Amino acid sequence: MSSGNGVITRREAIKRISGATLGAGLSPAARAAQSEARPSSGPSRQSNSSKQPNVLWITGEGVPQHALSCYGSRLIHTPNIDRIANEGMRFENSFTTNALCSPARATLLTGKYNHLNGMIANPGESAEIVPHFEASQETLPKILKRHGYQTGTVGKWHLPANPGEVGFDYFVYKEGAGGPYYDPNGYLQNPSLGSTVIEKRSYPGYETDNVTDLVIQGIQQFDKPFFMMVQYFNAHRPFDPPHQYEHLYDAIRIPEPATFWDDYSMRASPAKEARMRIADMMDFHPPQDLTDRQRQQWNYHQFMAHFLGTLRAQDDNIGRLFDFLDKAGLAENTIIIYTTDHGFFLGDHGWFDKRFMYEQALKVPWMIRHPGRIKAGSVTTEWTANIDNAPTVLDLLGIPIPEEMQGKSLVPVFQGQTPADRPRSMYYHYYGFGAPHWVLPHYGIRTDRYKLISYYTINEWELFDLEKDPDEMENLFVWGGYKVHPAYEAVAHDLAAQLKSLRAEYKDTTGPPVQLFPVSSYN
């Protein structure tokens, strides 16, 4: 029934649309589970714009900026992701501090670099590096719960901690990094709101559709302002698109990026040694009679067709989330954020995967929609990194930001301001050397124009002038060593000093100290 003043309550609005809107999109198993989990009674609140806003935080898996049409992609149209940008603000300069799944997701939750939150690498990738994530540390969902929010996370988790103990009232996740996409082997879920118990359940169907079904199911159970993290698996190996998109690109030639035939001759040795080349992918079973060049092109087309098909499914499902919020009367009072854990190489430098501090892995989409608070269609060149996400959410909701969080709120940027302390450079640290890709550990600094990378375990450096070499093809150090091009001697020394300062600012004592190399030039 409606409230006494005639306003339809939040729970009533959701119930009115659940049969017609959600039933068609849910698998039979998900519909059954939804029916079992939906509360039959309890307090409700009005779906009213004067109330504390909800937060829907969508995290994609390995989607680089240039894969989305709102960032200029001509390979795919992503209208639903674009809607977030078109009805809010899009960031051009958004970065991850460690281009790897688990570390990036830990930073999103804590607002801290990995040397402080403990998640320096993916679990199980290296015998030498054992990441940890203490459930007892402060997290965004814990803080929101203390301030009256109900919290949920659905989809990818990939952290060695119980989501319930990290602050989530409702959680459903898959073990491991991803796949298979069709009929995956069980989901880990708590049986009731607030429980930290984990049960194994099955939801047959396509993974991305299931995540959306289960997000909607979770929101239906909430009767307070909510914070819901939607953590899609795609586009991740094994890159399985839904059946309706399996042949979407069969008759289309997908152009290779400009750096596709990179031979790594002008780079430090880790670029050549890394094992993530498109030519070596066996995922798509290339014909045996192809030459090396033919196999690289054949693999690239298969890889991109699969990747873009899974991304299309993700965009479709974000459209389903919009439909749900619109019809439930929640869209105007729900902040929607879209980002990804890291970028991805889509044939750039002849690679797939991520990890390196090169632009395609380093830069991530970041956009936010908040009707009435953020101007629609706005684009900013201000900088942000994933340490800023948690502080930004707290500030938007009027909740104090803990001192231990290392990021800065973006709320002044939303208001058209540029505070004096907004960063114009960013610090990166990747640790996870190991199978299957064998990318060496490195830390570095990126500024407006330059990027300096230290592969500190082998004493090699890379310096790129992004203004003159945006494709990062020419390392300005000879053979990665200490001899730098004479025109860049002062630049290199200054960047090393800035890098040392950033490591101190962020309290990173992992890895060796920055060595301020002697100024020397080419022979």
Side-chain angles (χ1 to χ4, degrees), residues 268-289:
S269 61
K272 190 171 185 178
E273 298 301 323
R275 302 176 189 177
M276 44 201 280
R277 299 188 190 186
I278 294 280
D280 298 330
M281 292 184 79
M282 300 305 292
D283 301 60
F284 311 114
H285 311 292
Q288 296 298 308
D289 61 346

Side-chain angles (χ1 to χ4, degrees), residues 276-324:
M276 44 201 280
R277 299 188 190 186
I278 294 280
D280 298 330
M281 292 184 79
M282 300 305 292
D283 301 60
F284 311 114
H285 311 292
Q288 296 298 308
D289 61 346
L290 300 179
T291 67
D292 290 347
R293 186 179 181 90
Q294 289 169 346
R295 185 172 62 252
Q296 183 165 335
Q297 290 177 311
W298 192 92
N299 276 347
Y300 173 72
H301 184 274
Q302 294 297 317
F303 163 58
M304 288 299 295
H306 282 70
F307 180 94
L308 294 170
T310 66
L311 182 56
R312 178 79 172 265
Q314 182 184 128
D315 188 75
D316 289 349
N317 275 276
I318 290 173
R320 290 183 57 213
L321 291 174
F322 263 117
D323 289 345
F324 169 72

Side-chain angles (χ1 to χ4, degrees), residues 98-111:
N98 186 343
L100 195 59
C101 306
S102 299
R105 291 169 189 274
T107 293
L108 292 172
L109 282 174
T110 63

Side-chain angles (χ1 to χ4, degrees), residues 164-178:
E165 295 171 341
V166 171
F168 289 105
D169 295 308
Y170 171 85
F171 59 84
V172 192
Y173 67 98
K174 283 283 278 62
E175 290 180 296

